[in-house]
Amino acid sequence: AQSVAQPEDQVNVAEGNPLTVKCTYSVSGNPYLFWYVQYPNRGLQFLLKYITGDNLVKGSYGFEAEFNKSQTSFHLKKPSALVSDSALYFCAVSFPNNAGNMLTFGGGTRLMVKP
Amino acid sequence: GAVVSQHPSWVICKSGTSVKIECRSLDFQATTMFWYRQFPKQSLMLMATSNEGSKATYEQGVEKDKFLINHASLTLSTLTVTSAHPEDSSFYICSAPGPTYEQYFGPGTRLTVT
């Protein structure tokens, strides 16, 4: 069975500092990996994805993530955090043969960026 | 980019009544849509996969007679919470797959059952 783990319930960072939100996965085969962000009382917004190719992927709002196959990780990073980045972040995995590209989500990590 | 809408954005209903939530893909077609439930400060729980032209596929533990799903067209799926009770109060989110593997999510519907 496939699973996604986000080991930190919350990450606190000061504005202007780099941030990392961790994600590890346990799957067989070659997964597709995603990051989504959720603001209060809103749906999820797509940030970035890894399908194939370059392990470092860049996404929306200055975020990036690195696919590390040996460590089965896909950590989300940003060089300089903004207060407006404070939100709930979800890592997710899918497979090429998943009907409708169905996602399996991690538990979510709340990012708090303090001024 | 692709847009998914949900209606209503919030609803309050009395215990025992039924509530219908609509999920629409506005600028693309979706033969499959997904319905999720989210409790405060928790992750999304997949409830069911909505399939255009066929029955929905429900996840284990989700009552199909309580959460009725109808995928009426290539752009519309509905979730009806029948005989709602306070424990059904939650945030319901739908999604539809895009052309390049990601999902597009609706803005969510906050259901409160009194």
Side-chain angles (χ1 to χ4, degrees):
Chain A
Q2 55 195 39
S3 65
V4 181
Q6 293 180 240
E8 303 153 316
D9 290 337
Q10 182 162 317
V11 169
N12 298 310
V13 64
E15 186 175 31
N17 283 0
L19 69 88
T20 298
V21 182
K22 296 180 180 178
C23 172
T24 59
Y25 60 91
S26 176
V27 301
S28 56
N30 297 311
Y32 298 158
L33 297 158
F34 304 84
W35 275 101
Y36 289 86
V37 60
Q38 185 182 30
Y39 295 97
N41 296 309
R42 304 292 296 275
L44 275 66
Q45 296 179 29
F46 170 75
L47 280 179
L48 51 79
K49 65 185 176 187
Y50 172 81
I51 304 298
T52 187
D54 194 348
N55 289 344
L56 182 65
V57 293
K58 295 184 183 296
S60 306
Y61 312 119
F63 284 94
E64 60 186 31
E66 185 167 12
F67 171 61
N68 188 319
K69 190 171 184 177
S70 63
Q71 297 185 4
T72 62
S73 67
F74 190 57
H75 301 331
L76 181 70
K77 298 183 179 184
K78 187 173 182 180
S80 178
L82 301 173
V83 172
S84 57
D85 292 331
S86 298
L88 189 56
Y89 289 80
F90 291 101
C91 181
V93 64
S94 180
F95 279 96
N97 59 348
N98 280 12
N101 302 326
M102 186 174 68
L103 296 172
T104 298
F105 286 94
T109 298
R110 184 165 301 280
L111 174 65
M112 298 289 291
V113 181
K114 298 182 179 180
Chain B
V3 177
V4 174
S5 70
Q6 277 184 246
H7 178 80
S9 55
W10 60 270
V11 58
I12 301 173
C13 71
K14 293 186 176 181
S15 186
T17 62
S18 295
V19 174
K20 179 185 286 187
I21 303 170
E22 294 184 348
C23 177
R24 292 181 184 272
S25 55
L26 296 186
D27 49 2
F28 66 105
Q29 293 181 336
T31 57
T32 301
M33 291 184 176
F34 300 97
W35 286 97
Y36 305 85
R37 184 173 180 178
Q38 186 180 30
F39 292 102
K41 300 183 179 181
Q42 293 189 24
S43 189
L44 279 71
M45 181 190 78
L46 179 65
M47 298 176 65
T49 303
S50 174
N51 304 301
E52 191 271 337
S54 64
K55 293 182 179 180
T57 305
Y58 290 83
E59 296 300 302
Q60 190 173 8
V62 178
E63 299 177 60
K64 62 180 181 180
D65 294 331
K66 181 169 186 62
F67 298 100
L68 300 179
I69 291 173
N70 182 28
H71 202 130
S73 73
L74 288 172
T75 60
L76 174 63
S77 174
T78 60
L79 168 67
T80 301
V81 183
T82 62
S83 186
H85 288 93
E87 58 266 30
D88 299 324
S89 298
S90 192
F91 194 54
Y92 293 87
I93 303 174
C94 68
S95 75
T100 53
Y101 308 109
E102 66 268 33
Q103 291 284 329
Y104 295 103
F105 288 84
T109 297
R110 171 80 53 196
L111 170 62
T112 302
V113 185
T114 61

